[in-house]
Amino acid sequence: MQDNSNNQIINDFFYYISYKFYKENDLSDITWAMCQTCEDFRNLFLKFFFPKIKIDPNINIEREKATEGSRPDFYIENGNDLYLIENKIGDKNHHFGQYDEAFNISPEKFGYITNYSIIDNDIRQKGYKIHTWEELYDYFSKQEISDENSKSLIEGYLKYVKKICSIIKIEKPMRLNGIYSLFSLIEIIEKKLSQRDENIFSLSPYNSNRNCGGGISNGITGVNFFLKYKTINVETYGWFGIYYERPRPDINIGFYNSSGWGAKYIEMLKKYENQWSENDSFDKPYFEGQYLWFDMSKNLYDKFENTDSVVEQETILKKFMDDVIMYPINLAKTVE
């Protein structure tokens, strides 16, 4: 039986590399490595593009083999047959009629995968195999894989693809009457919680961008705020918002580790990293890529969800925010 802890390690590995290796070449490199490592993955991957392919025991898959000014992402020697696969995430510089002619193959042996739809009947009528990464994700998700090691590796890879290709699977009916709550949450954070002058610190909204550190992503919204500690003369920036691209949304506060954003807060807190722990307001802080995150605790989240009082909800949000802001100062006091 597969060790669940090993399964989690593989999932975590792919999850974290998605923050560093998210470009088209990265996706192609990792897919090539999967083909070299896992025979089950390699066979399914090739059959996704070429359903009738009979895979030779000595099949050879190369990355970016160049000829005549052409360099496809995957060059596949399968016995006496040659196949090509080209990967696109956002790039729309296409190579139909170029790569296949340079390598002297028919369009049926030129697989093409993108992260957007190509609506061009002329191209499809010529026999090119055009797919999307979401189609590949769905295809692999439906496969029955008996080898537990292969299954775990493929599941981790799919998490990676889902993350970098922003694949969102909508499985529950939408209830639009709840959208006003999202508006209300951001209004409270921006108009009340992020515009305050307290004894130890002051706050003000920083800009109109809704994502932490100014990034762009679907399913995330919040408020970037300017934070000034009065007693220690430190100025920094944070983000307070919600991830709602999941069935149970997460309320978070984040600090982007950049000199123009939240680096000073992180510097204050990182020296006490060995003492980090969860408390009534938030789970144990953690780094994810270049961000330091605080997730609202389940206990506080449940209180927020189950009260009918807007005033109490505002109080809960304020407690979460204040406890995060005061965490470096309070932690320093306990250590000293």
Side-chain angles (χ1 to χ4, degrees):
M1 181 177 291
Q2 178 71 21
D3 186 345
N4 287 332
S5 63
N6 289 339
N7 211 351
Q8 188 60 48
I9 289 171
I10 292 173
N11 284 336
D12 288 347
F13 171 77
F14 278 104
Y15 177 78
Y16 283 112
I17 65 172
S18 69
Y19 280 90
K20 294 292 185 181
F21 303 97
Y22 51 84
K23 297 180 180 179
E24 285 178 355
N25 279 340
D26 298 326
L27 177 55
S28 293
D29 287 339
I30 289 171
T31 302
W32 174 85
M34 286 287 296
C35 288
Q36 304 304 313
T37 305
C38 180
E39 185 175 324
D40 285 331
F41 174 86
R42 180 200 68 192
N43 293 347
L44 288 170
F45 180 71
L46 293 175
K47 287 182 180 295
F48 171 74
F49 291 96
F50 315 109
K52 296 181 180 180
I53 189 173
K54 294 182 179 180
I55 299 173
D56 189 276
N58 298 314
I59 190 171
N60 176 50
I61 303 176
E62 298 182 30
R63 279 278 289 121
E64 297 188 317
K65 185 178 179 70
T67 185
E68 299 181 14
S70 297
R71 193 174 61 182
D73 287 311
F74 298 95
Y75 172 90
I76 303 152
E77 291 178 330
N78 184 56
N80 295 323
D81 292 325
L82 176 63
Y83 298 85
L84 304 176
I85 298 174
E86 181 67 6
N87 161 39
K88 301 288 185 184
I89 295 180
D91 179 18
K92 296 187 178 181
N93 179 29
H94 297 301
H95 307 284
F96 302 110
Q98 176 191 349
Y99 286 179
D100 43 317
E101 292 179 8
F103 286 88
N104 194 28
I105 64 169
S106 63
E108 289 80 5
K109 292 184 178 180
F110 184 22
Y112 221 86
I113 186 165
T114 65
N115 204 34
Y116 49 86
S117 297
I118 297 179
I119 304 174
D120 191 324
N121 291 330
D122 289 340
I123 291 175
R124 293 180 180 276
Q125 287 172 2
K126 291 177 181 178
Y128 292 103
K129 307 287 185 179
I130 306 173
H131 299 281
T132 66
W133 279 104
E134 185 167 1
E135 288 173 7
L136 183 136
Y137 177 90
D138 291 341
Y139 165 80
F140 269 100
S141 297
K142 295 174 183 176
Q143 303 301 319
E144 294 291 336
I145 300 166
S146 58
D147 182 80
E148 290 294 337
N149 290 323
S150 295
K151 183 178 180 181
S152 295
L153 196 61
I154 291 171
E155 287 175 351
Y157 172 83
L158 292 181
K159 288 184 180 295
Y160 168 75
V161 169
K162 186 177 182 181
K163 176 72 175 177
I164 68 169
C165 292
S166 300
I167 297 172
I168 306 296
K169 308 306 292 183
I170 308 298
E171 297 173 345
K172 293 185 177 181
M174 292 177 284
R175 298 292 180 258
L176 299 182
N177 59 356
I179 291 178
Y180 184 75
S181 295
L182 180 61
F183 169 78
S184 301
L185 174 68
I186 300 306
E187 282 291 293
I188 288 173
I189 293 174
E190 183 173 38
K191 302 294 176 59
K192 295 187 176 182
L193 301 183
S194 296
Q195 297 191 50
R196 291 187 283 143
D197 188 15
E198 306 290 353
N199 290 332
I200 298 178
F201 62 85
S202 63
L203 293 164
S204 60
Y206 175 59
N207 60 23
S208 59
N209 192 294
R210 292 304 189 194
N211 293 279
C212 185
I216 299 174
S217 182
N218 291 332
I220 305 167
T221 189
V223 176
N224 286 296
F225 58 85
F226 171 70
L227 166 62
K228 181 177 181 179
Y229 291 96
K230 298 178 181 179
T231 56
I232 54 177
N233 195 30
V234 171
E235 297 179 354
T236 188
Y237 299 85
W239 178 87
F240 189 179
I242 184 169
Y243 277 66
Y244 59 92
E245 32 58 286
R246 55 200 66 176
R248 179 192 179 278
D250 288 336
I251 297 176
N252 317 86
I253 293 177
F255 296 89
Y256 180 45
N257 193 12
S258 173
S259 58
W261 287 94
K264 289 187 177 180
Y265 178 93
I266 293 173
E267 288 172 9
M268 291 169 56
L269 195 57
K270 200 171 190 318
K271 63 180 72 173
Y272 308 114
E273 189 169 358
N274 291 335
Q275 282 76 44
W276 291 2
S277 63
E278 62 184 24
N279 63 28
D280 291 339
S281 293
F282 52 79
D283 298 335
K284 182 179 179 180
Y286 61 95
F287 282 102
E288 193 172 85
Q290 290 186 269
Y291 298 85
L292 174 65
W293 289 107
F294 291 82
D295 298 344
M296 180 181 282
S297 68
K298 183 180 184 303
N299 181 52
L300 203 62
Y301 185 94
D302 288 343
K303 288 181 179 178
F304 180 86
E305 282 281 278
N306 295 321
T307 180
D308 293 327
S309 168
V310 175
V311 173
E312 186 176 351
Q313 286 185 321
E314 185 178 327
T315 300
I316 289 169
L317 293 170
K318 182 177 181 296
K319 173 176 172 53
F320 175 46
M321 189 178 198
D322 288 359
D323 285 354
V324 170
I325 289 172
M326 292 300 297
Y327 194 50
I329 294 175
N330 293 335
L331 203 53
K333 290 179 180 178
T334 61
V335 172
E336 294 171 1

